[in-house]
Amino acid sequence: MSARILDGKAVALTVTQEVAAKVASRVAGGRAPPGLAVVQVGENPASQVYVRNKRRTTEAVGMRSFAHDFPASLAEAELLATIDRLNANPDVHGILVQLPLPKHVDPQKVVERIDPAKDVDGFHPYNVGRLVLKSPTLRPCTPYGCMRLLAETGEPLAGKHAVVIGQSNIVGRPMAMELLMARCTVTICHSATRDLPGIVRQGDVVVAGVGRANFVQGDWIRDGAIVIDVGINRTDEGKLVGDVDFAAAKERASWITPVPGGVGPMTIAMLLANTLRAAELADG
Ligand code: NAP
């Protein structure tokens, strides 16, 4: 079997167009455009690319973009004071602080300072808790995007065995909660998991969020499995690859996401969907 490709670029475009249409009808109805503040501290080159893309796409869908760029030396107290001001600003519906932050800033403190109603990354304990309790409000963008891609397959998820590799707060854990909410039977694997290949072979759905190039081998993939590759890794030759050995896995899977062009573009699309949702929530 050769897998069908889950084209994240195309699905992200559809989501973005849906958001743009809803923003336009909001504005035509006399309501304020959703506003997204993206806060960047320091000059991490990868973060600068992400932030630039987020701001550009925000404006492209008719939302207002608020840019707050600070040097790496910014004191934690000043960053928290900026978040307080954004929390109080009614034109700002979503706040995103780009991670990673410089070492002297506690990211948990920063995430918890954001008003949960404006936490469009979905990282605040309130939003994570809502997801755990099966009534999500603002959902972590990357797992949310993965769920949108899974919906594209048209395959019912209920009863499927989903194997998630990775248990980070931004990928693995919320992904497992999303899949559980979709009534999958979920196994979460991490670096202490025994017989990882044996467990992955049981997966009807496999989600890899490890951060190691081509780590998941083709012969770990069960025939007909759906494979979602969250990993973004650069090889020594400078090529962008996922966590899954794509060429080999494609021969066994029924559906698979490519890297690049799979999960990556979905993350920004779901960020915009969350910002629209935050604006709608603020409407009351
Ligand atoms: P992370 O915080 O480093 O977490 C990696 C996870 O993989 C950890 O839970 C770790 O287990 C597990 N792991 C490491 N080695 C393993 C092994 N040998 N066997 C089994 N599990 C192992 O990384 P992350 O932030 O979740 O990101 C994961 C990947 O996704 C990265 O490539 C990142 O660039 C990518 N990513 C992509 C997007 C996107 O938009 N597409 C968004 C976010 C992240 P322990 O917990 O035991 O250490």
Side-chain angles (χ1 to χ4, degrees):
M1 176 186 287
S2 186
R4 283 193 270 176
I5 302 296
L6 273 169
D7 184 347
K9 230 169 147 177
V11 181
L13 184 64
T14 304
V15 172
T16 307
Q17 285 169 342
E18 285 165 6
V19 169
K22 287 183 185 156
V23 169
S25 85
R26 249 186 94 76
V27 172
R31 273 166 307 185
L36 174 63
V38 177
V39 180
Q40 184 177 220
V41 185
E43 273 140 30
N44 178 318
S47 294
Q48 284 178 322
V49 174
Y50 291 139
V51 165
R52 212 169 32 243
N53 283 342
K54 285 170 188 173
R55 289 179 180 153
R56 203 185 42 222
T57 327
T58 302
E59 284 165 10
V61 296
M63 294 184 182
R64 287 182 74 187
S65 171
F66 298 83
H68 294 268
D69 295 327
F70 298 105
S73 58
L74 182 79
E76 185 183 87
E78 281 183 60
L79 178 57
L80 296 175
T82 301
I83 294 171
D84 290 343
R85 280 193 294 278
L86 294 171
N87 282 340
N89 182 346
D91 294 332
V92 173
H93 301 95
I95 303 168
L96 180 154
V97 178
Q98 185 65 42
L99 302 176
L101 288 165
K103 288 208 170 21
H104 65 278
V105 181
D106 176 356
Q108 197 57 31
K109 216 185 212 178
V110 169
V111 165
E112 293 190 23
R113 191 67 160 243
I114 297 172
D115 178 347
K118 297 190 178 191
D119 165 42
V120 284
D121 254 340
F123 294 163
H124 190 286
Y126 174 84
N127 285 315
V128 176
R130 299 276 318 205
L131 177 62
V132 173
L133 297 173
K134 296 179 280 187
S135 81
T137 312
L138 296 171
R139 301 155 76 159
C141 300
T142 300
Y144 191 15
C146 293
M147 295 310 288
R148 183 69 165 79
L149 287 174
L150 285 169
E152 283 298 306
T153 67
E155 296 251 0
L157 291 176
K160 283 195 167 37
H161 186 179
V163 176
V164 179
I165 318 171
Q167 55 131 5
S168 71
N169 288 342
I170 62 168
V171 180
R173 282 169 186 254
M175 188 70 228
M177 288 302 123
E178 287 280 1
L179 290 161
L180 190 56
M181 199 165 58
R183 303 196 49 70
C184 289
T185 302
V186 182
T187 302
I188 309 173
C189 304
H190 44 76
S191 63
T193 296
R194 283 190 229 144
D195 186 23
L196 182 66
I199 294 173
V200 175
R201 280 188 193 107
Q202 295 172 31
D204 303 307
V205 174
V206 175
V207 182
V210 183
R212 294 178 63 173
N214 301 322
F215 173 71
V216 176
Q217 303 299 297
D219 67 1
W220 299 7
I221 302 299
R222 177 185 196 152
D223 274 335
I226 303 172
V227 178
I228 305 287
D229 190 350
V230 184
I232 303 175
N233 313 288
R234 207 167 277 283
T235 63
D236 293 340
E237 298 78 47
K239 204 176 152 216
L240 220 52
V241 298
D243 288 345
V244 178
D245 180 351
F246 179 83
K250 184 163 75 67
E251 295 312 312
R252 299 172 73 119
S254 58
W255 292 90
I256 190 166
T257 59
V259 178
V263 176
M266 294 302 296
T267 300
I268 294 187
M270 302 328 278
L271 171 70
L272 299 175
N274 274 349
T275 305
L276 174 64
R277 174 117 168 88
E280 288 168 353
L281 291 170
D283 292 342

